[in-house]
Amino acid sequence: MNRIINDPDLVVEDAIEGYVVAHPEFFEKTDNSRVLKYSGSEKKGKVGIITGGGSGHEPAFLGYVGKNMVDAVAIGEIFSSPTAGAFLDAMKAADSGAGVACLYGNYAGDNMNVKMAIKKATAAGITVKTVVANDDVASAPASEKEKRRGVAGEILMWKIGGAAAAEGYDLDGVIAAAQKAINNCRSIGVGLSSCTIPAVGKPNFHIEKGTMELGIGHHGEPGIKVVPIETAKEMAETMLHPIMEEGLFEPGSEVVVLVSGLGATPVMELYIYYAEVERLLKAKNVKIHRCYVGNYFTSLEMMGVTLSVMKLDAELKKLIDIPARSLGLVQE
Amino acid sequence: MNRIINDPDLVVEDAIEGYVVAHPEFFEKTDNSRVLKYSGSEKKGKVGIITGGGSGHEPAFLGYVGKNMVDAVAIGEIFSSPTAGAFLDAMKAADSGAGVACLYGNYAGDNMNVKMAIKKATAAGITVKTVVANDDVASAPASEKEKRRGVAGEILMWKIGGAAAAEGYDLDGVIAAAQKAINNCRSIGVGLSSCTIPAVGKPNFHIEKGTMELGIGHHGEPGIKVVPIETAKEMAETMLHPIMEEGLFEPGSEVVVLVSGLGATPVMELYIYYAEVERLLKAKNVKIHRCYVGNYFTSLEMMGVTLSVMKLDAELKKLIDIPARSLGLVQE
């Protein structure tokens, strides 16, 4: 795999350098080289929103640091959890006295490190509460929802949590809104090709030409099944089916749809796919209030697409519509 | 190549359907299925900005339709010029009495079709003037600048032209500003891997593992040379060298830098590369007033990066800073 890098072991450091120098309007360095904070933060007494995760998913996670979004981010190695120290320093960077909402994805490393960080933050007098995203329906059955991974639905959780904090919600209110966002969200992905971690130098896994893997994870975690590649229309049906089976999106409901490429998927294909999703939801009398289509949560240069659907109530609808500004999401 | 499509011969139609249904805030259909116009257009008497080009470069070209940007776009097949009829209908869609600035790239098919469209537009009473982008330094020597291709610098030309029109410039003024933008802009690309046109089904060209093609075009047009793959730092030097050799970017000058991935390049690599470009320009005492880093002008799922540098004067600086809103570029 030909790449645009310097040292394969320093891609995260080198990329952070680029983000900071390109976007002083979003990023401010902290004493921890793996923690960036929002440079435009002004509001004392606002609940701080933090997240963190492995690199290679750009614009996630750091691309959602910004106005009415995430206040500080802990940055891990490619596809690896940030350290407990990075989570702790992100909590410290985001706290302005009203506590910190740590909104992250359900992965073993992140769970462990967040837990350790909270212990130390609490000792330092910072109140931290968490929401653990588990929107990926392919990663465990509904009866074991606590085992499900967090995927692109995390972006909607950050959007809702960030908007709630901006609106002056207290910590419990922010946590409740973010938790509702992820409770109301279901996601699934398909992988069409693999990706290569620079320091490893060979593909992370393998997908045969002419096949696709339904339910693949953001790091190539095995999906539900490998099937012959489908048309965009069939893919939309195949992916929407397990989402609708959750029983959440009844006729008449209003939703947000997020379609994300996994890195190498041409933008035009994401829109071909989105048109099919829109048709299917319309036929089920589910109204799309707002959509996001693009490379929002990637896996290096993987080919594929993820679909996330979040059901709205009056509160979520108000919060999703609040303007936001970050590298990965600009909304006026 | 595994893809997310329905019929390989209908990818452009299917994608347009997706763009329109996802983004009514930007796109309005016209009687010509290959022409979209800006749905938010209000201002009568404003110079209309149009462009057009082949598909597969998304978000270019249609992604730059929007507020203070492009008013109508002619859409071609993958990597092919729109028809003369589509250019003509875009001109008609964008005209509100003050004439139309057609800002497009220097390709044989586009040149021919725009020329034919202008003849018919003129006969229909619409004044059309053109700027032909030729920012790619790799495509011909400086002595034959009129042979050079237009590449990602076109985005800066649209930004400047769109801002000038929004500011109330007349047609000659818009044309002069857009022409200055492209005259002051130099670009070059490197390709690290090929791409596959859906209807063709096999790679468009070939790049050996461990090599890169300097000066490659947006459709895989042969570059200056194939060399062993370099580090991001070396690539930045190799690409900046011919740009600086043009003698335009003297010490003390202020510039806009646009770094675009070609489709499959992970975002983190674009920022690793950008950090190197920034360091090199700083060392040459060239000040970056504004930067754009992302997948702004792609070639399906090609791996690679393009670098565009535009020198600013007081007018261009004012125009580049005017807010804009489109799918591919949001600036507040």
Side-chain angles (χ1 to χ4, degrees), chain B residues 73-143:
Chain B
V73 64
I75 302 164
E77 276 303 311
I78 304 262
F79 292 0
S80 297
S81 174
T83 62
F87 274 115
L88 174 63
D89 288 335
M91 290 165 190
K92 287 178 176 171
D95 182 52
S96 70
V100 172
C102 177
L103 313 179
Y104 71 103
N106 192 23
Y107 295 89
D110 297 300
N111 281 322
M112 185 181 74
N113 290 325
V114 166
K115 198 176 280 184
M116 285 167 60
I118 289 177
K119 248 188 212 165
K120 294 197 178 173
T122 307
I126 302 171
T127 308
V128 182
K129 298 193 175 181
T130 61
V131 178
V132 187
N134 55 356
D135 50 308
D136 184 353
V137 299
S139 51
S143 57

Side-chain angles (χ1 to χ4, degrees), chain B residues 158-320:
Chain B
W158 299 324
K159 175 73 189 72
I160 295 295
E167 287 288 280
Y169 282 40
D170 68 9
L171 181 56
D172 285 336
V174 169
I175 291 291
Q179 185 69 60
K180 181 160 64 175
I182 209 71
N183 285 352
N184 281 13
C185 184
R186 298 292 185 276
S187 302
I188 193 166
V190 295
L192 273 65
S193 81
S194 186
C195 61
T196 298
I197 298 176
V200 175
K202 59 181 170 54
N204 223 17
F205 53 96
H206 184 69
I207 294 174
E208 286 288 340
K209 204 182 158 182
T211 68
M212 63 180 216
E213 187 157 344
L214 176 67
I216 199 164
H218 271 171
H219 315 92
E221 296 94 333
I224 300 169
K225 56 183 175 181
V226 175
V227 294
I229 190 144
E230 299 178 342
T231 63
K233 182 171 188 289
E234 291 163 343
M235 263 183 230
E237 287 165 351
T238 301
M239 292 168 73
L240 204 52
H241 181 71
I243 287 178
M244 295 306 286
E245 277 217 314
E246 299 270 310
L248 200 61
F249 308 102
E250 64 270 16
S253 54
E254 278 192 282
V255 299
V256 170
V257 171
L258 188 153
V259 168
S260 179
L262 288 175
T265 312
V267 171
M268 69 185 314
E269 299 183 21
L270 300 178
Y271 280 94
I272 292 173
Y273 174 83
Y274 176 75
E276 301 299 341
V277 169
E278 198 266 351
R279 259 178 226 127
L280 290 169
L281 286 176
K282 194 181 242 177
K284 292 175 194 298
N285 194 24
V286 172
K287 190 187 165 213
I288 300 175
H289 172 67
R290 186 182 277 280
C291 70
Y292 302 94
V293 184
N295 284 296
Y296 284 96
F297 203 128
T298 65
S299 297
L300 294 167
E301 76 287 2
M302 212 192 290
M303 275 268 205
V305 63
T306 64
L307 171 64
S308 301
V309 186
M310 179 175 78
K311 187 168 115 171
L312 296 173
D313 62 7
E315 182 189 34
L316 292 180
K317 194 168 170 178
K318 184 184 151 214
L319 293 172
I320 201 77

Side-chain angles (χ1 to χ4, degrees), chain A residues 166-233:
Chain A
E167 288 288 281
Y169 282 39
D170 68 9
L171 181 56
D172 284 337
V174 169
I175 290 292
Q179 186 69 59
K180 181 159 63 174
I182 210 70
N183 285 352
N184 280 14
C185 184
R186 297 293 184 275
S187 301
I188 192 165
V190 294
L192 274 66
S193 81
S194 186
C195 60
T196 298
I197 298 176
V200 176
K202 59 182 170 54
N204 223 17
F205 53 96
H206 184 69
I207 295 175
E208 286 288 339
K209 207 183 156 180
T211 68
M212 64 181 216
E213 186 158 342
L214 176 68
I216 199 164
H218 271 170
H219 316 93
E221 295 94 334
I224 300 170
K225 56 183 175 180
V226 174
V227 295
I229 190 143
E230 299 179 340
T231 64
K233 183 172 186 291

Side-chain angles (χ1 to χ4, degrees), chain A residues 51-133:
Chain A
T51 189
S55 295
H57 301 298
E58 288 70 23
F61 295 76
L62 54 74
Y64 299 100
V65 166
K67 189 180 172 189
N68 297 351
M69 293 286 290
V70 172
D71 295 297
V73 63
I75 302 165
E77 276 303 310
I78 305 260
F79 292 179
S80 299
S81 173
T83 61
F87 275 114
L88 174 64
D89 287 337
M91 289 166 189
K92 288 180 177 172
D95 182 51
S96 70
V100 172
C102 178
L103 313 178
Y104 71 101
N106 192 21
Y107 294 91
D110 296 300
N111 281 323
M112 185 182 71
N113 290 325
V114 166
K115 196 174 282 184
M116 285 168 60
I118 290 178
K119 246 186 215 169
K120 295 197 179 174
T122 307
I126 303 170
T127 309
V128 182
K129 298 193 175 182
T130 61
V131 178
V132 186

Side-chain angles (χ1 to χ4, degrees), chain B residues 7-49:
Chain B
D7 183 333
D9 292 324
L10 294 176
V11 289
V12 177
E13 278 68 19
D14 286 355
I16 290 173
E17 199 55 38
Y19 288 113
V20 170
V21 78
H23 299 294
E25 73 277 25
F26 293 129
F27 301 119
E28 188 178 316
K29 286 188 178 184
T30 68
D31 290 342
N32 187 323
S33 65
R34 292 303 184 93
V35 175
L36 292 178
K37 61 182 277 191
Y38 176 42
S39 57
S41 209
E42 288 169 4
K43 241 176 168 174
K44 282 280 156 201
K46 187 186 84 73
V47 171
I49 307 286

